[in-house]
Amino acid sequence: MRLRELVDDVELGLVVRAGRAELDRSIAWVHTSELADPTPFLEGGELLLTTGLALREADCADLVGRLVAAGVAGLGFGVGISHREIPPQLVDAAEAAGLPLLEVPRPTPFIAISKAVSRALAAAEYAELRRTSRAQHELAKAAGSRDGINALIRRVSKLLDAWTLLLDAGGRPLHAAPSSATAEGIESEVESIRAKKGPSARILTFNGEEVSVQQLGARARGVLIVGRRAAFSTADHHLINTAASLLSLALEQGESLEAARRRLVNGLFALLLRGEDVVDELSRLRLEPPVEPFRVVALAGAPDNDELLSRLTADHPETFLAEHADVVVALVAETDVGRLAGSGLAAGVSDPCRLADLAEGVRQACHAAEAAGPGDAVRFAALAGNGVLDLIPAERARAFAESTLAPLRGHDELIRSLDAWLAHHGQWDPAAVRLGVHRHTLRNRIRKVEELLDRRLDQPGVRAELWLALRADPR
């Protein structure tokens, strides 16, 4: 309720004596006090009622200053009891400070003013509850519509007259209203919210706007961001919380449906590997293998294959993706290999294959992935360059390399020289040019290698062993 509405109530008979320009102030509550200094018992926003029982004329300016500092909405002064009229000093001080001063006539009991404000507050709260209830109903209706999440985001934006943005679990935009809404400028705050375990929320002030950031769901399924110029009221926060709850539920249901779909795709993929014709079933899921011949890409080393599949499905919705053993497999055209192989995981790429040879393509891709390191992409055709090393278990190959090259440890210059000399089939001049040294320097280094190894390098078998050791040495 505003002071002006109280003044307009003819039954109360209130008269404005000062601060008429400030009558649009809202009244949070009504408080009555006859203390010389009631401010320790005020919270701000009150209409303070008094008869001035303890007020001295000399203290009027000091009282007004204290009330203004306490943030009261106004001062109601009852006349005809302690004072026949409002002290002029109080009127002057209130007018100078812009504090609304209302004269309460003797026939008007203070309780009548309290009841009038209480009724108005109760009516306002009821209206706010009805508005919130209607808004929550609209949000629930939007969430249950065919457009689901997108409709809910648009409805939140319209009800709050705010921009609204929904991020997925990886921090990428899913839906925005208007479409231009972004999290630019508050990325660090959003990341801080996403890093927390369990639901969390924060209110920010950025570029003159109040921004609400909420993590969705116990498993951090996404982030809801709502911002606008005006501050959010308590009812607005209730509305945002309702939207967050509905979005959490919708995302959880979406995850369950997607998990079921992935299980179905994995089952159909297993049938494909066995040579079964399930192309029609895949078409019903809007999945079709690429035009033959295609490549099989195997991605290994992901902490969570389900999360990887969700991310890849969102980034590459038209790509056939499935889980096979402990790797994620994709069937792609040659032109799309780079997009999948650049995922930061160990990637193996098969030779071109057809659907009838899918099992062989998967075997090749998985075999190539085993030879790849994190962030590397290895093609199956390239494995032939390892020759006999590809037939030896990795641990045994490393042990052989460490044992053979042990005398050279700590002599990196000699190891580089040996590698270049062997790569040029023992030819001194090409190897020296590659190393950027004189051929006599290279001869001296190779003689030093022979001394340390206690082996003659003019023997083909020795050269072959050293070449294999250098290739198998991870260092």
Side-chain angles (χ1 to χ4, degrees), residues 156-290:
V156 171
S157 178
K158 182 176 181 180
L159 289 172
L160 295 178
D161 190 22
W163 58 267
T164 308
L165 179 65
L166 176 63
L167 307 180
D168 66 11
R172 296 176 293 270
L174 277 179
H175 301 281
S179 58
S180 58
T182 71
E184 184 178 354
I186 58 171
E187 293 91 345
S188 60
E189 288 82 359
V190 173
E191 285 303 310
S192 176
I193 288 289
R194 291 182 59 239
K196 295 182 180 296
K197 293 183 178 179
S200 56
R202 185 175 300 173
I203 299 296
L204 313 171
T205 300
F206 179 74
N207 283 347
E209 293 185 326
E210 185 167 292
V211 182
S212 169
V213 183
Q214 282 206 38
Q215 188 181 116
L216 303 177
R219 292 177 55 193
R221 293 181 172 88
V223 177
L224 173 64
I225 307 175
V226 185
R228 71 180 186 190
R229 289 286 175 184
F232 294 117
S233 66
T234 300
D236 294 334
H237 285 297
H238 284 317
L239 200 60
I240 294 173
N241 291 337
T242 298
S245 298
L246 290 170
L247 286 169
S248 297
L249 181 60
L251 291 174
E252 182 177 357
Q253 290 175 336
E255 284 186 2
S256 298
L257 289 173
E258 183 58 29
R261 182 179 183 275
R262 283 199 297 268
R263 289 193 295 272
L264 180 57
V265 171
N266 291 340
L268 292 173
F269 184 69
L271 293 176
L272 274 177
L273 291 178
R274 289 166 49 184
E276 301 286 343
D277 183 7
V278 293
V279 174
D280 290 342
E281 285 74 11
L282 289 172
S283 297
R284 294 189 185 98
L285 295 174
R286 298 181 182 178
L287 277 178
E288 293 185 12

Side-chain angles (χ1 to χ4, degrees), residues 32 103 155 158:
T32 300
E103 178 182 301
R155 181 56 57 181
K158 182 176 181 180

Side-chain angles (χ1 to χ4, degrees), residues 37 41 70-71 87 117 120 166-167 186 201 231 271-272 328 360 364 372 401 416 425 441 471:
D37 180 16
F41 307 97
V117 172
L166 176 63
L167 307 180
I186 58 171
L271 293 176
L272 274 177
V328 170
E360 174 61 17
Q364 291 180 1
R416 286 195 297 272
H425 311 291
T441 302
R471 303 282 74 75

